Amino acid sequence: MGRHLRGLFDACGLSLRQSVRRYGFSPAAISRYLSGERLPRKAFLDVLLTERARRTGADRGRTAPHRWPATAPGPAGPVWSAAEQARS
């Protein structure tokens, strides 16, 4: 999963520092998610997917919050469910 997250993160065009400032995740947590060391929080996946959609124009006319609670529904729902099942 880390390899896929890294690709998505890179496609968003944000540096680690920009991501920390903009979305509030810790640098250590982001590094662990991208290396595959830890399963990312759903909120992190939502942010990446929303940022990628924004940059590609896939979300025209839609505004998304910069932060969602970890339990809120969002674009990462199916990805999160699959990751949870793989971890079990």
Side-chain angles (χ1 to χ4, degrees):
M1 180 173 225
R3 182 181 66 210
H4 297 292
L5 278 177
R6 170 56 77 176
L8 182 58
F9 183 82
D10 291 345
C12 289
L14 295 172
S15 70
L16 181 63
R17 184 173 285 163
Q18 289 171 317
S19 298
V20 168
R21 253 192 332 264
R22 186 175 293 177
Y23 299 113
F25 297 102
S26 77
I30 293 173
S31 293
R32 288 183 187 115
Y33 299 156
L34 298 180
S35 71
E37 185 179 328
R38 289 193 85 189
L39 187 63
R41 290 178 32 210
K42 182 181 174 295
F44 181 73
L45 293 173
D46 285 343
V47 162
L48 286 184
L49 292 170
T50 300
E51 183 69 28
R52 177 69 172 134
R54 185 185 69 76
R55 289 181 177 260
T56 62
D59 69 340
R60 286 191 192 117
R62 184 180 90 115
T63 57
H66 287 299
R67 296 181 188 188
W68 286 300
T71 57
V79 175
W80 179 254
S81 297
E84 281 292 303
Q85 287 177 351
R87 190 168 78 159
S88 307

XYZ file of all heavy atoms in Angstrom:
683
model
N 0.822 -1.187 0.000
C 0.000 0.000 0.000
C 0.869 1.254 0.000
O 0.490 2.261 -0.589
C -0.933 -0.016 1.208
C -1.816 1.208 1.245
S -3.046 1.111 2.530
C -4.460 1.655 1.637
N 2.021 1.207 0.648
C 2.894 2.372 0.708
C 3.301 2.879 -0.666
O 3.333 4.082 -0.913
N 3.584 1.955 -1.570
C 3.996 2.333 -2.926
C 2.864 3.085 -3.640
O 3.094 4.086 -4.312
C 4.399 1.092 -3.705
C 4.895 1.407 -5.102
C 5.268 0.169 -5.855
N 4.053 -0.605 -6.070
C 4.004 -1.925 -6.172
N 5.092 -2.630 -6.091
N 2.868 -2.546 -6.363
N 1.650 2.615 -3.471
C 0.498 3.269 -4.098
C 0.239 4.640 -3.477
O -0.061 5.607 -4.183
C -0.745 2.398 -3.984
C -0.616 1.100 -4.700
N -0.545 1.009 -6.070
C -0.514 -0.162 -4.234
C -0.414 -0.265 -6.413
N -0.391 -0.983 -5.314
N 0.372 4.704 -2.171
C 0.194 5.997 -1.497
C 1.256 6.988 -1.940
O 0.964 8.156 -2.151
C 0.274 5.833 0.025
C -0.975 5.361 0.717
C -0.708 5.177 2.204
C -2.113 6.317 0.505
N 2.479 6.516 -2.078
C 3.566 7.392 -2.522
C 3.251 7.950 -3.908
O 3.440 9.135 -4.174
C 4.890 6.633 -2.516
C 6.054 7.361 -3.174
C 6.322 8.714 -2.601
N 7.002 8.615 -1.341
C 7.423 9.670 -0.644
N 7.260 10.892 -1.119
N 8.002 9.521 0.495
N 2.773 7.102 -4.798
C 2.418 7.557 -6.139
C 1.302 8.592 -6.107
O 1.366 9.604 -6.802
N 0.298 8.360 -5.277
C -0.805 9.308 -5.144
C -0.319 10.612 -4.527
O -0.657 11.701 -4.986
C -1.923 8.697 -4.295
C -3.173 9.524 -4.081
C -3.829 9.887 -5.417
C -4.151 8.765 -3.202
N 0.517 10.508 -3.510
C 1.073 11.687 -2.850
C 1.886 12.515 -3.844
O 1.725 13.725 -3.939
C 1.940 11.254 -1.666
C 2.506 12.387 -0.864
C 1.742 13.003 0.111
C 3.798 12.831 -1.078
C 2.260 14.049 0.864
C 4.321 13.866 -0.337
C 3.553 14.480 0.644
N 2.742 11.848 -4.602
C 3.568 12.552 -5.596
C 2.702 13.206 -6.673
O 2.996 14.306 -7.133
C 4.580 11.596 -6.230
C 5.661 11.149 -5.251
O 5.807 11.774 -4.178
O 6.345 10.159 -5.555
N 1.621 12.524 -7.063
C 0.733 13.070 -8.085
C 0.009 14.326 -7.602
O -0.410 15.152 -8.413
C -0.289 12.020 -8.510
N -0.112 14.480 -6.292
C -0.762 15.674 -5.735
C 0.134 16.903 -5.862
O -0.348 18.034 -5.803
C -1.119 15.451 -4.266
S -2.473 14.299 -4.049
N 1.426 16.682 -6.036
C 2.347 17.796 -6.228
C 2.666 18.585 -4.975
O 3.138 19.713 -5.062
N 2.409 18.012 -3.822
C 2.711 18.693 -2.564
C 3.968 18.102 -1.939
O 4.188 16.897 -2.000
C 1.559 18.517 -1.566
C 0.227 19.143 -1.925
C -0.830 18.707 -0.921
C 0.330 20.648 -1.941
N 4.743 18.959 -1.335
C 5.886 18.466 -0.573
C 5.391 18.004 0.796
O 4.265 18.313 1.204
C 6.926 19.572 -0.397
O 6.433 20.568 0.490
N 6.232 17.289 1.505
C 5.892 16.860 2.857
C 5.594 18.079 3.727
O 4.582 18.118 4.440
C 7.031 16.029 3.450
C 6.810 15.495 4.855
C 5.639 14.528 4.883
C 8.067 14.814 5.353
N 6.419 19.080 3.637
C 6.242 20.293 4.435
C 4.914 20.987 4.110
O 4.193 21.424 5.006
C 7.403 21.249 4.206
C 7.342 22.483 5.071
C 8.586 23.306 4.949
N 9.623 22.620 5.706
C 10.910 22.839 5.593
N 11.360 23.718 4.735
N 11.775 22.188 6.319
N 4.573 21.087 2.831
C 3.298 21.708 2.440
C 2.114 20.904 2.977
O 1.128 21.475 3.432
C 3.190 21.795 0.919
C 4.095 22.808 0.287
C 4.088 22.667 -1.230
O 4.137 21.565 -1.771
N 4.036 23.804 -1.909
N 2.219 19.600 2.919
C 1.143 18.740 3.414
C 0.938 18.906 4.913
O -0.199 18.959 5.382
C 1.451 17.273 3.111
O 1.536 17.067 1.740
N 2.025 18.986 5.631
C 1.944 19.176 7.081
C 1.263 20.497 7.392
O 0.344 20.565 8.209
C 3.350 19.097 7.723
C 3.325 19.566 9.160
C 3.909 17.681 7.618
N 1.700 21.551 6.727
C 1.122 22.884 6.965
C -0.345 22.955 6.570
O -1.172 23.495 7.275
C 1.903 23.934 6.185
C 2.772 24.802 7.024
C 3.311 26.019 6.285
N 3.483 25.924 4.852
C 4.624 25.628 4.240
N 5.706 25.389 4.942
N 4.694 25.585 2.929
N -0.656 22.415 5.431
C -2.010 22.546 4.886
C -3.023 21.645 5.587
O -4.154 22.037 5.823
C -1.999 22.237 3.403
C -3.352 22.507 2.748
C -3.317 22.331 1.268
N -2.488 23.357 0.657
C -2.225 23.431 -0.637
N -2.742 22.538 -1.453
N -1.468 24.367 -1.128
N -2.636 20.417 5.913
C -3.606 19.445 6.408
C -3.412 19.031 7.859
O -4.282 18.368 8.421
C -3.622 18.214 5.506
C -4.024 18.571 4.100
C -3.124 18.473 3.051
C -5.298 19.045 3.825
C -3.502 18.819 1.766
C -5.674 19.395 2.541
C -4.765 19.279 1.520
O -5.132 19.632 0.244
N -2.288 19.357 8.462
C -2.109 19.118 9.881
C -1.665 17.730 10.305
O -1.653 17.434 11.490
N -1.283 16.877 9.361
C -0.751 15.576 9.751
C 0.710 15.740 10.148
O 1.406 16.593 9.614
C -0.851 14.581 8.589
C -2.266 14.297 8.176
C -2.800 14.880 7.050
C -3.063 13.449 8.928
C -4.107 14.630 6.665
C -4.370 13.197 8.555
C -4.895 13.789 7.423
N 1.188 14.915 11.045
C 2.584 15.044 11.456
C 3.509 14.503 10.364
O 3.141 13.565 9.642
C 2.837 14.295 12.764
O 2.935 12.906 12.535
N 4.708 15.078 10.243
C 5.662 14.575 9.241
C 5.995 13.098 9.453
O 6.121 12.344 8.491
C 6.905 15.442 9.430
C 6.461 16.625 10.205
C 5.244 16.218 10.973
N 6.110 12.696 10.724
C 6.432 11.297 11.020
C 5.319 10.370 10.545
O 5.585 9.314 9.959
C 6.676 11.115 12.514
N 4.075 10.765 10.781
C 2.944 9.933 10.361
C 2.912 9.814 8.839
O 2.746 8.706 8.301
C 1.636 10.512 10.880
N 3.067 10.928 8.140
C 3.049 10.886 6.683
C 4.163 9.984 6.160
O 3.947 9.168 5.270
C 3.151 12.305 6.081
C 1.896 13.112 6.414
C 3.351 12.238 4.571
C 1.970 14.572 5.999
N 5.350 10.109 6.715
C 6.472 9.267 6.284
C 6.173 7.792 6.498
O 6.481 6.954 5.640
C 7.740 9.656 7.042
O 8.141 10.946 6.675
N 5.569 7.463 7.632
C 5.228 6.058 7.909
C 4.157 5.541 6.951
O 4.206 4.391 6.526
C 4.765 5.911 9.356
C 5.900 6.039 10.332
C 5.431 5.813 11.756
N 6.498 6.111 12.674
C 6.468 7.096 13.553
N 5.411 7.883 13.665
N 7.496 7.307 14.351
N 3.189 6.385 6.629
C 2.149 5.981 5.689
C 2.763 5.717 4.308
O 2.470 4.713 3.668
C 1.084 7.067 5.528
C 0.318 7.440 6.771
C -0.283 8.694 6.867
C 0.176 6.578 7.854
C -1.003 9.066 7.990
C -0.533 6.951 8.989
C -1.125 8.189 9.047
O -1.827 8.562 10.152
N 3.611 6.641 3.854
C 4.171 6.542 2.507
C 5.174 5.406 2.366
O 5.376 4.884 1.273
C 4.803 7.872 2.092
C 3.844 9.071 2.026
C 4.597 10.320 1.608
C 2.681 8.797 1.105
N 5.802 5.020 3.473
C 6.758 3.911 3.428
C 6.058 2.558 3.566
O 6.677 1.517 3.351
C 7.800 4.063 4.540
O 7.205 3.809 5.811
N 4.775 2.585 3.939
C 4.047 1.344 4.147
C 4.211 0.788 5.535
O 3.709 -0.294 5.854
N 4.896 1.521 6.397
C 5.132 1.077 7.769
C 3.842 1.063 8.587
O 3.681 0.227 9.474
C 6.154 2.009 8.423
C 6.595 1.603 9.800
C 7.627 2.570 10.339
O 8.421 3.126 9.564
O 7.626 2.781 11.559
N 2.940 2.004 8.304
C 1.668 2.091 9.023
C 0.527 2.243 8.039
O 0.672 2.854 6.991
C 1.652 3.310 9.945
C 2.568 3.159 11.124
C 2.299 4.211 12.133
N 1.212 3.738 12.985
C 0.610 4.490 13.868
N 0.936 5.751 13.986
N -0.334 4.011 14.624
N -0.607 1.699 8.415
C -1.826 1.888 7.643
C -2.285 3.327 7.865
O -2.383 3.780 9.003
C -2.893 0.913 8.127
C -4.184 0.847 7.342
C -3.919 0.362 5.927
C -5.166 -0.063 8.041
N -2.529 4.074 6.790
C -2.901 5.486 6.957
C -4.294 5.647 7.541
O -5.158 4.786 7.378
C -2.852 6.041 5.538
C -3.059 4.862 4.666
C -2.468 3.688 5.384
N -4.479 6.772 8.213
C -5.811 7.136 8.676
C -6.681 7.426 7.466
O -6.204 7.893 6.430
C -5.734 8.377 9.563
C -5.073 8.125 10.888
C -4.957 9.354 11.755
N -6.044 10.302 11.589
C -5.907 11.615 11.750
N -4.744 12.128 12.085
N -6.937 12.412 11.595
N -7.958 7.159 7.598
C -8.894 7.416 6.510
C -8.873 8.896 6.130
O -8.961 9.232 4.952
C -10.300 6.990 6.913
C -11.318 7.192 5.812
C -12.693 6.771 6.274
C -13.741 7.091 5.249
N -13.904 8.517 5.025
N -8.732 9.767 7.098
C -8.696 11.210 6.812
C -7.540 11.553 5.881
O -7.668 12.408 5.006
C -8.591 11.998 8.114
N -6.403 10.879 6.031
C -5.250 11.120 5.164
C -5.570 10.686 3.728
O -5.269 11.401 2.778
C -4.028 10.376 5.700
C -2.785 10.578 4.886
C -2.105 11.777 4.916
C -2.292 9.558 4.084
C -0.950 11.968 4.159
C -1.141 9.738 3.330
C -0.474 10.954 3.367
N -6.193 9.528 3.583
C -6.579 9.066 2.249
C -7.582 10.018 1.611
O -7.476 10.336 0.422
C -7.178 7.659 2.326
C -6.229 6.548 2.723
C -7.003 5.253 2.923
C -5.140 6.365 1.693
N -8.544 10.476 2.394
C -9.531 11.432 1.872
C -8.852 12.691 1.355
O -9.189 13.199 0.298
C -10.553 11.804 2.940
C -11.568 10.712 3.204
O -11.699 9.794 2.371
O -12.242 10.783 4.247
N -7.891 13.188 2.110
C -7.175 14.404 1.708
C -6.428 14.172 0.403
O -6.497 14.994 -0.521
C -6.215 14.863 2.833
C -5.166 15.823 2.320
C -7.003 15.489 3.973
N -5.704 13.058 0.298
C -4.943 12.784 -0.924
C -5.858 12.640 -2.130
O -5.584 13.200 -3.198
C -4.106 11.506 -0.776
C -2.870 11.569 0.092
C -2.141 10.232 0.036
C -1.947 12.685 -0.317
N -6.932 11.902 -1.978
C -7.840 11.691 -3.105
C -8.531 12.990 -3.505
O -8.705 13.266 -4.695
C -8.866 10.612 -2.755
C -8.284 9.204 -2.617
C -9.326 8.255 -2.031
C -7.750 8.683 -3.932
N -8.897 13.801 -2.548
C -9.539 15.078 -2.843
C -8.554 16.033 -3.508
O -8.894 16.712 -4.479
C -10.120 15.708 -1.564
O -11.093 14.805 -1.026
C -10.772 17.042 -1.839
N -7.326 16.071 -3.001
C -6.298 16.949 -3.585
C -5.998 16.525 -5.018
O -5.882 17.359 -5.918
C -5.025 16.909 -2.737
C -3.932 17.817 -3.208
C -4.257 19.303 -3.034
O -5.013 19.662 -2.135
O -3.735 20.113 -3.835
N -5.903 15.233 -5.242
C -5.636 14.729 -6.602
C -6.790 15.097 -7.539
O -6.569 15.545 -8.664
C -5.436 13.208 -6.556
C -5.232 12.585 -7.896
C -3.909 12.984 -8.487
N -3.695 12.207 -9.693
C -3.278 12.723 -10.831
N -2.970 13.983 -10.915
N -3.117 11.965 -11.875
N -8.018 14.934 -7.079
C -9.185 15.289 -7.897
C -9.195 16.782 -8.184
O -9.492 17.205 -9.306
C -10.462 14.867 -7.182
N -8.860 17.587 -7.207
C -8.828 19.037 -7.396
C -7.797 19.414 -8.443
O -8.053 20.233 -9.323
C -8.509 19.736 -6.074
C -8.587 21.262 -6.153
C -8.154 21.904 -4.857
N -6.733 21.758 -4.599
C -5.777 22.469 -5.202
N -6.094 23.359 -6.107
N -4.511 22.284 -4.901
N -6.641 18.793 -8.390
C -5.563 19.128 -9.317
C -5.837 18.653 -10.741
O -5.330 19.224 -11.693
C -4.235 18.577 -8.826
C -3.743 19.344 -7.623
C -2.410 18.814 -7.140
N -1.966 19.625 -6.033
C -1.070 20.597 -6.141
N -0.505 20.859 -7.302
N -0.721 21.303 -5.082
N -6.644 17.611 -10.878
C -6.953 17.112 -12.220
C -8.259 17.683 -12.753
O -8.646 17.382 -13.879
C -7.043 15.576 -12.231
O -8.102 15.167 -11.371
C -5.735 14.935 -11.826
N -8.948 18.469 -11.949
C -10.211 19.058 -12.371
C -11.387 18.119 -12.247
O -12.476 18.415 -12.720
N -11.190 16.993 -11.598
C -12.266 16.006 -11.468
C -13.360 16.453 -10.518
O -14.436 15.891 -10.505
C -11.689 14.669 -10.996
N -13.097 17.478 -9.719
C -14.098 17.898 -8.737
C -14.667 19.275 -9.060
O -15.088 19.999 -8.176
C -13.505 17.882 -7.330
C -12.451 18.956 -7.116
O -11.906 19.461 -8.117
O -12.185 19.303 -5.969
N -14.701 19.642 -10.309
C -15.221 20.963 -10.688
C -16.596 21.201 -10.084
O -17.466 20.343 -10.155
C -15.315 21.077 -12.203
C -13.960 21.246 -12.815
C -14.073 21.615 -14.279
N -12.750 21.485 -14.848
C -12.427 20.637 -15.804
N -13.340 19.882 -16.340
N -11.202 20.554 -16.238
N -16.759 22.380 -9.499
C -18.037 22.733 -8.908
C -18.266 22.164 -7.529
O -19.284 22.380 -6.918
N -17.299 21.443 -7.008
C -17.455 20.842 -5.694
C -16.368 21.390 -4.786
O -15.219 21.495 -5.177
C -17.285 19.330 -5.800
C -17.527 18.599 -4.512
C -17.337 17.126 -4.755
N -15.959 16.785 -4.510
C -15.558 15.977 -3.535
N -16.412 15.404 -2.754
N -14.280 15.709 -3.355
N -16.721 21.737 -3.591
C -15.711 22.165 -2.636
C -15.610 21.115 -1.561
O -16.614 20.558 -1.130
C -16.061 23.525 -1.998
O -17.340 23.411 -1.386
C -16.066 24.630 -3.036
N -14.404 20.820 -1.165
C -14.178 19.803 -0.145
C -13.456 20.433 1.032
O -12.592 21.270 0.842
C -13.320 18.671 -0.730
N -13.786 20.027 2.237
C -13.074 20.560 3.394
C -11.635 20.082 3.409
O -11.330 19.015 2.873
C -13.852 19.993 4.586
C -14.554 18.797 4.058
C -14.797 19.054 2.598
N -10.770 20.860 4.007
C -9.365 20.454 4.096
C -9.168 19.341 5.101
O -8.230 18.578 4.992
C -8.489 21.643 4.483
C -8.330 22.616 3.371
N -7.755 22.295 2.179
C -8.683 23.909 3.270
C -7.742 23.350 1.393
N -8.307 24.332 2.033
N -10.029 19.254 6.101
C -9.902 18.204 7.108
C -11.261 17.588 7.358
O -12.257 18.272 7.440
C -9.394 18.781 8.428
C -8.026 19.344 8.333
C -7.614 19.842 9.665
N -6.364 20.565 9.515
C -5.658 21.000 10.511
N -6.049 20.828 11.730
N -4.527 21.652 10.294
N -11.261 16.280 7.497
C -12.470 15.569 7.863
C -12.162 14.743 9.089
O -11.044 14.270 9.248
C -12.890 14.596 6.767
C -13.476 15.237 5.576
C -14.597 16.015 5.540
C -13.000 15.182 4.245
N -14.842 16.431 4.271
C -13.884 15.932 3.453
C -11.935 14.562 3.629
C -13.727 16.080 2.091
C -11.775 14.708 2.279
C -12.660 15.453 1.527
N -13.145 14.524 9.941
C -12.911 13.587 11.045
C -12.613 12.205 10.473
O -13.085 11.872 9.380
C -14.242 13.588 11.801
C -15.001 14.761 11.306
C -14.459 15.114 9.947
N -11.865 11.417 11.191
C -11.470 10.090 10.704
C -12.665 9.193 10.426
O -12.573 8.275 9.625
C -10.543 9.424 11.714
N -13.808 9.461 11.032
C -14.973 8.602 10.839
C -15.914 9.116 9.762
O -16.886 8.468 9.437
C -15.761 8.480 12.154
O -16.131 9.794 12.580
C -14.935 7.792 13.213
N -15.651 10.309 9.211
C -16.558 10.888 8.227
C -16.473 10.151 6.902
O -15.416 9.681 6.518
C -16.217 12.362 8.005
N -17.595 10.041 6.195
C -17.528 9.426 4.871
C -16.758 10.334 3.926
O -16.726 11.546 4.113
C -18.992 9.319 4.457
C -19.702 10.324 5.275
C -18.917 10.494 6.543
N -16.139 9.783 2.959
C -15.379 10.571 2.003
C -14.924 9.704 0.853
O -15.295 8.539 0.755
N -14.092 10.248 -0.012
C -13.681 9.507 -1.199
C -12.832 8.275 -0.913
O -12.679 7.428 -1.772
C -12.906 10.540 -2.022
C -12.538 11.607 -1.077
C -13.569 11.590 0.015
N -12.287 8.168 0.284
C -11.414 7.031 0.583
C -12.166 5.834 1.146
O -11.555 4.825 1.461
C -10.322 7.450 1.567
N -13.469 5.919 1.270
C -14.243 4.829 1.869
C -13.911 3.454 1.322
O -13.548 2.554 2.077
N -14.005 3.214 0.010
C -13.706 1.885 -0.524
C -12.246 1.468 -0.322
O -11.956 0.311 -0.026
C -14.016 2.007 -2.018
C -14.921 3.176 -2.133
C -14.536 4.100 -1.006
N -11.326 2.399 -0.473
C -9.898 2.093 -0.287
C -9.642 1.722 1.162
O -8.949 0.773 1.473
C -9.015 3.289 -0.700
C -7.564 3.022 -0.394
C -9.210 3.591 -2.166
N -10.238 2.497 2.064
C -10.052 2.254 3.499
C -10.598 0.884 3.879
O -9.959 0.143 4.598
C -10.744 3.347 4.296
C -10.604 3.149 5.755
C -11.560 2.720 6.627
C -9.430 3.346 6.535
N -11.060 2.639 7.888
C -9.756 3.022 7.862
C -8.142 3.760 6.229
C -8.822 3.104 8.892
C -7.220 3.841 7.267
C -7.569 3.515 8.574
N -11.768 0.534 3.383
C -12.370 -0.745 3.696
C -11.476 -1.890 3.229
O -11.275 -2.868 3.945
C -13.745 -0.872 3.051
O -14.614 0.096 3.577
N -10.942 -1.777 2.024
C -10.059 -2.825 1.498
C -8.790 -2.948 2.332
O -8.330 -4.058 2.623
C -9.703 -2.529 0.050
N -8.243 -1.830 2.758
C -7.027 -1.854 3.578
C -7.304 -2.478 4.933
O -6.497 -3.257 5.442
C -6.479 -0.440 3.747
N -8.437 -2.170 5.526
C -8.811 -2.756 6.808
C -8.973 -4.265 6.685
O -8.532 -5.010 7.553
C -10.106 -2.129 7.324
C -9.900 -0.768 7.958
C -9.129 -0.847 9.261
O -9.571 -1.557 10.186
O -8.064 -0.227 9.335
N -9.590 -4.726 5.604
C -9.779 -6.154 5.405
C -8.443 -6.867 5.204
O -8.227 -7.943 5.707
C -10.685 -6.416 4.206
C -12.134 -6.076 4.486
C -13.013 -6.258 3.273
O -12.522 -6.478 2.158
N -14.311 -6.153 3.458
N -7.537 -6.230 4.464
C -6.219 -6.832 4.208
C -5.418 -6.944 5.502
O -4.638 -7.876 5.675
C -5.464 -6.017 3.183
N -5.618 -5.982 6.383
C -4.876 -5.976 7.645
C -5.375 -7.032 8.605
O -4.636 -7.532 9.425
C -4.975 -4.583 8.256
C -4.048 -4.390 9.427
C -3.967 -2.960 9.799
N -5.152 -2.580 10.560
C -5.191 -1.522 11.346
N -4.148 -0.746 11.449
N -6.279 -1.210 11.990
N -6.647 -7.410 8.499
C -7.253 -8.390 9.427
C -6.768 -9.785 9.155
O -6.453 -10.209 8.135
C -8.764 -8.380 9.309
O -9.272 -7.091 9.462
